Amino acid sequence: MPEITFIEADGTARKVAATPGESLMVAATRAGVAGIIGECGGSCMCATCHCYLEAGTLPPPEELEAETLEFNAENPRPESRLTCQVVAIDGMAGIVLRVAGR
Ligand code: FES
């Protein structure tokens, strides 16, 4: 089962187990990671699942994710990701995501 590390705003590192096929936002909200809200339910609209990729490699954002980051996220950076658009897969390892502040 893929394990993702989320770093909350106060610096707390939380290791979260994700089920393959679910989004990292779903895994994070289930685990109660502070700052990941998922207000739009994962439809790539609200940017309340915004994180910065600090370690590991992910496929690049699709166009809709990139647009939502550009127009709806606060303080977007090149390493920004919307975790509702990142699907957990077997073999995913070493992913560290810092929760973006609001
Ligand atoms: S949960 Fe709304 S954009 Fe990710």
Side-chain angles (χ1 to χ4, degrees), residues 25 37-50 68 82-85:
M25 178 277 283
I37 312 298
E39 197 171 281
C40 73
S43 19
C44 201
M45 293 168 53
C46 68
T48 64
C49 63
H50 180 197
T68 302
L82 295 176
T83 54
C84 70
Q85 300 303 301

Side-chain angles (χ1 to χ4, degrees), residues 7-22:
I7 302 173
E8 298 173 335
D10 68 357
T12 301
R14 304 272 311 274
K15 286 191 185 298
V16 172
T19 303
E22 73 180 0

Side-chain angles (χ1 to χ4, degrees), residues 24 27 46 77 89 92 94:
L24 302 192
C46 68
R77 301 179 194 160
I89 56 170
M92 186 178 246

Side-chain angles (χ1 to χ4, degrees), residues 1-3 16-24 26-27 30 87-90:
M1 188 175 273
E3 196 172 72
V16 172
T19 303
E22 73 180 0
S23 75
L24 302 192
V26 167
R30 183 178 59 240
V87 176
I89 56 170
D90 276 324

